[in-house]
Structure formats: C-alpha cells, structure tokens
C-alpha cells in the first residue's frame, strides 16, 4: 500500500497519507465508476484483479528471486482445471470453494516444485527455454487428455463450473436489496477478488522483508556470493517456484469459477508473455510496479477495442489495423521505449535496502 501511495503523481511525495486514502478510495469505488460506462468495464476490472494476482506471483519468481519463467501460465492452468475437476458436472463433483482453493494451491505448488527440480542448475536463456517448454507441455496435455479416457474434455474444455459461494451467498447471482435496488454479481466478484489481492499484497510485503526475501535478493544479485555466505540456493529456488505457482493456482481457480468455463486456449504461451510483460513494464521486484503494469496492460485491449476502430473510421473511412494487431504493435513499441528510457520499469524497484528501511521505521539503526 505504501509503495502504491508513493507512486501517485505529485501527491505521493507531498502527502503520503492522503495518497494512501486516495488509493483505497479508487480501489473501492472503481466498479461504481466503471458501471457508468456499462457492465463490460466492471468485468474488465474483475479480470484486471486476476492479472494482478498472476503478476504478483510471477514477480516473486522473476523480480524477487531472479528466475526467468516463461511457462508461468501452466500453474494458472493447474488451478483452473483443478476447479473444473472438483467443482463441475464433469466428474459430478461439487466441492465448496474452501476445499477447492487449498487443493488447487497445493497442486500448483507441487507443479512448481516439479518444474524447479530439473532446472536448479540452469540460468538465463536456458532456464527460460525449459520453463517455456514446461508451459507448453501442460497446455498440450490439457488439450489431448480426452482419449482413451476423457479427463480434460480436450479442446472443447469443461463448462458449467460451480460459482463461488461464500457463507450461503452465490456470487454469480445478483443480490436484491429492495424492489428497485440490486447489487450486480460482477460487483460481488470484484470485491472478493480485491480481498484476495489485498491479502496477497500483505503476505508478499511481509515476505519481502523477511529472511527469505533477503535471501532471494542476494541470490538474484549474485548466486555464487549467496552460496558463499551460507544461503541454501537450492531450497530458495524451489521455494520461489512453489510460492509463485501457488498464486497462479489460486488465480486459476478464481478465473474458472468466474468464467464458468476453462479450455486449453486460455493458457497459451502468449498469456505467459503477457503476464511477464506486465511485471517488466511495471517494474520487476516491486509490488506496486506489478500492480500498475497488470492494470494498464489488462485494460489496454478493451480500450483499443472501443476506441481504435471508431477513430480509424473517422480518420480514414475504414479500419486499417485490427484492434488486436494494434494492441501488439503498441505493446511492442511501449516495451522498446521502456527499455530505452526506463529500463527498470514504470515504478523502479528499490527493494535492495527495503529491510533496512523497515528496521529504521521501527527505530532500529545500523
């Protein structure tokens, strides 16, 4: 929260307390403002929160531990298909969300450890290639495990996933307050996802200033030096992969139950690259950077879809560039400019001495 508040232009440095309350007000009131432009934009906000969870999880692996992972979306798929297996008519199991979420997190963490063991000695490009292959293997498995025994229903995917039910409230149904006033289900999902994001941020902030977070920072900066001072880099890498995968698994469950449908198409290589781009664009190793990058790049396709075609029709009389092509073009240009002008991202990480600042705030000096 403090990092987000400090990132607010002008107000963040002059009055951090006011900036903090502004961030809270925006987070709470965003769906109310989006609803003025239609329910589609509230749905965009819901998906933006899911991407924030994914970006926070990948930031643990790439930003904190310095392990380049191009197959991160595989853990997203593990969580989504766990929900599809345990809470849908596919196997006729209808477990509650409180059972599905921990199981999905556990299976995703096991998948992260499974990936981590073979790549303990790999670095840089070699690590990226192996993780990319892992992500594609998971997607291909999900696409083909429908014969001779139908496990994943193949490319058709699994539909009719059970919605999230909290304390007897079905989040997929509108809540009728009065005869004229009702709370849309998109709002219910938004605030539930927001609670998950806030909990994740608190957990990651505490993790960052802990011994584990400092060990990851040392390993990221110089693995050989980290080994020399007694850090078990093997265990730290496995922990990074498993914790990052856990966030992916939880996000997958939320995605599946919100969408009500999962298929292998949702977990392609481009999704992994998109999440990695969010982390790099916002600022690796920085919680606020991952959040801002996820919000901007998840909203960009919808903004272009509503603006690009009308603007091109007004200027040229017809559409020259499809919004999807234009999105990739603008994204590529943005990344090139970021690498040239702000290689550390929109909100550069200053995590190197974050634990020292934390101690100083508590009155402990060096």
């Amino acid at each position: 929260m403090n990092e987000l508040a400090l990132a607010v232009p002008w107000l963040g440095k002059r009055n951090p307390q006011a900036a903090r309350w502004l961030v809270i007000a925006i987070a709470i009131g965003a769906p109310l403002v989006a609803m003025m432009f239609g329910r589609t934009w509230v749905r965009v906000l819901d998906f933006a929160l899911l991407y924030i969870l994914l970006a926070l999880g990948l930031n643990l692996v790439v930003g904190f531990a310095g392990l380049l992972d191009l197959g991160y979306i595989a853990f997203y798929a593990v969580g989504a298909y766990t929900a599809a297996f345990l809470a849908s008519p596919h196997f006729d199991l209808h477990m509650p969300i409180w059972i599905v979420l921990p199981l999905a997190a556990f299976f995703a963490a096991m998948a992260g450890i499974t990936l981590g063991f073979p790549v303990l000695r790999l670095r840089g490009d070699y690590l990226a290639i192996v993780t990319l292959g892992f992500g594609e293997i998971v997607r291909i498995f999900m696409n083909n495990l429908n014969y001779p025994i139908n496990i994943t229903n193949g490319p058709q995917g699994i539909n009719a996933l059970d919605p999230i039910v909290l304390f007897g409230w079905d989040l997929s149904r509108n809540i009728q307050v009065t005869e004229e006033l009702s709370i849309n289900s998109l709002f219910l999902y938004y605030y539930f996802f927001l609670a998950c994001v806030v909990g994740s941020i608190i957990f990651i902030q505490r993790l960052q200033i802990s011994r584990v977070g400092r060990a990851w920072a040392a390993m990221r900066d110089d693995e050989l030096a980290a080994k020399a001072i007694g850090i078990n880099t093997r265990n730290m890498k496995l922990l990074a992969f498993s914790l990052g995968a856990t966030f992916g698994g939880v996000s997958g469950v939320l995605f599946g139950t919100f969408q009500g449908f999962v298929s292998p198409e949702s977990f392609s290589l481009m999704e992994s690259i998109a999440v990695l781009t969010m982390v790099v664009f916002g600022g690796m190793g920085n919680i606020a950077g991952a959040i801002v990058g996820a919000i901007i790049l998840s909203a960009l396709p919808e903004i272009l879809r509503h603006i690009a075609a009308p603007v091109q029709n007004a200027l040229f009389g017809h559409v020259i560039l499809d919004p999807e092509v234009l999105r990739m073009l603008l994204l590529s240009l943005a990344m090139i400019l970021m690498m040239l002008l702000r290689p550390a991202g929109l909100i550069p990480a200053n995590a190197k001495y974050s634990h020292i600042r934390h101690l100083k705030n508590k009155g402990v000096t060096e």
Side-chain angles (χ1 to χ4, degrees), residues 217-232:
M219 185 176 68
R220 176 194 63 206
D221 294 338
D222 192 326
E223 186 175 343
L224 188 60
K227 285 182 179 179
I229 62 175
I231 294 175
N232 190 329

Side-chain angles (χ1 to χ4, degrees), residues 70-224:
L70 290 182
Y72 184 72
I73 210 68
F75 310 122
Y76 191 44
V78 169
Y81 271 92
T82 299
F85 295 154
L86 300 179
S88 78
H90 185 63
F91 289 134
D92 203 21
L93 296 174
H94 300 278
M95 295 184 180
I97 190 66
W98 305 118
I99 296 178
V100 176
L101 264 179
L103 286 176
F106 173 76
F107 291 143
M110 291 299 101
I113 293 174
T114 302
L115 170 62
F117 267 115
V119 300
L120 287 174
R121 296 179 179 273
L122 299 180
R123 300 178 189 174
D125 298 340
Y126 301 102
L127 176 61
I129 292 170
V130 173
T131 54
L132 184 152
F134 177 81
E136 284 299 288
I137 287 170
V138 171
R139 183 186 64 82
I140 292 170
F141 261 94
M142 300 301 181
N143 203 42
N144 291 279
L145 285 180
N146 60 336
Y147 182 84
I149 301 174
N150 187 9
I151 299 176
T152 64
N153 208 30
Q156 287 79 28
I158 300 173
N159 57 15
L161 271 71
D162 296 342
I164 296 175
V165 178
L166 299 175
F167 309 110
W169 286 2
D170 187 343
L171 298 190
S172 66
R173 297 182 180 179
N174 298 347
I175 295 179
Q176 198 70 33
V177 180
T178 64
E179 292 183 0
E180 299 180 353
L181 178 64
S182 65
I183 302 176
N184 193 281
S185 63
L186 293 174
F187 283 78
L188 303 179
Y189 274 110
Y190 174 86
Y191 289 114
F192 178 66
F193 293 170
L194 181 63
C196 294
V197 169
V198 171
S200 301
I201 292 172
I202 294 172
F203 172 76
I204 293 174
Q205 282 182 331
R206 303 307 301 174
L207 187 66
Q208 187 178 14
I209 60 176
S210 68
R211 294 178 64 183
V212 173
R214 297 198 296 272
W216 280 343
M219 185 176 68
R220 176 194 63 206
D221 294 338
D222 192 326
E223 186 175 343
L224 188 60

Side-chain angles (χ1 to χ4, degrees), residues 196-281:
C196 294
V197 169
V198 171
S200 301
I201 292 172
I202 294 172
F203 172 76
I204 293 174
Q205 282 182 331
R206 303 307 301 174
L207 187 66
Q208 187 178 14
I209 60 176
S210 68
R211 294 178 64 183
V212 173
R214 297 198 296 272
W216 280 343
M219 185 176 68
R220 176 194 63 206
D221 294 338
D222 192 326
E223 186 175 343
L224 188 60
K227 285 182 179 179
I229 62 175
I231 294 175
N232 190 329
T233 57
R234 170 182 172 275
N235 289 350
M236 287 297 106
K237 286 183 180 181
L238 291 177
L239 183 60
F241 275 118
S242 61
L243 275 179
T246 300
F247 280 88
V250 171
S251 303
V253 172
L254 300 181
F255 166 75
T257 52
F258 175 62
Q259 188 83 349
F261 171 77
V262 295
S263 71
E265 293 180 358
S266 301
F267 313 107
S268 64
L269 173 63
M270 288 307 300
E271 285 294 312
S272 276
I273 294 175
V275 178
L276 180 61
T277 304
M278 293 171 185
V279 175
V280 175
F281 185 80

Side-chain angles (χ1 to χ4, degrees), residues 304-327:
L304 289 177
R305 190 173 291 118
H306 285 80
I307 295 177
V311 169
Q312 291 182 75
N313 279 322
L315 293 177
F316 310 110
H318 62 281
V319 177
I320 298 176
L321 289 175
D322 184 81
E324 181 63 24
V325 176
L326 187 60
R327 178 180 79 94

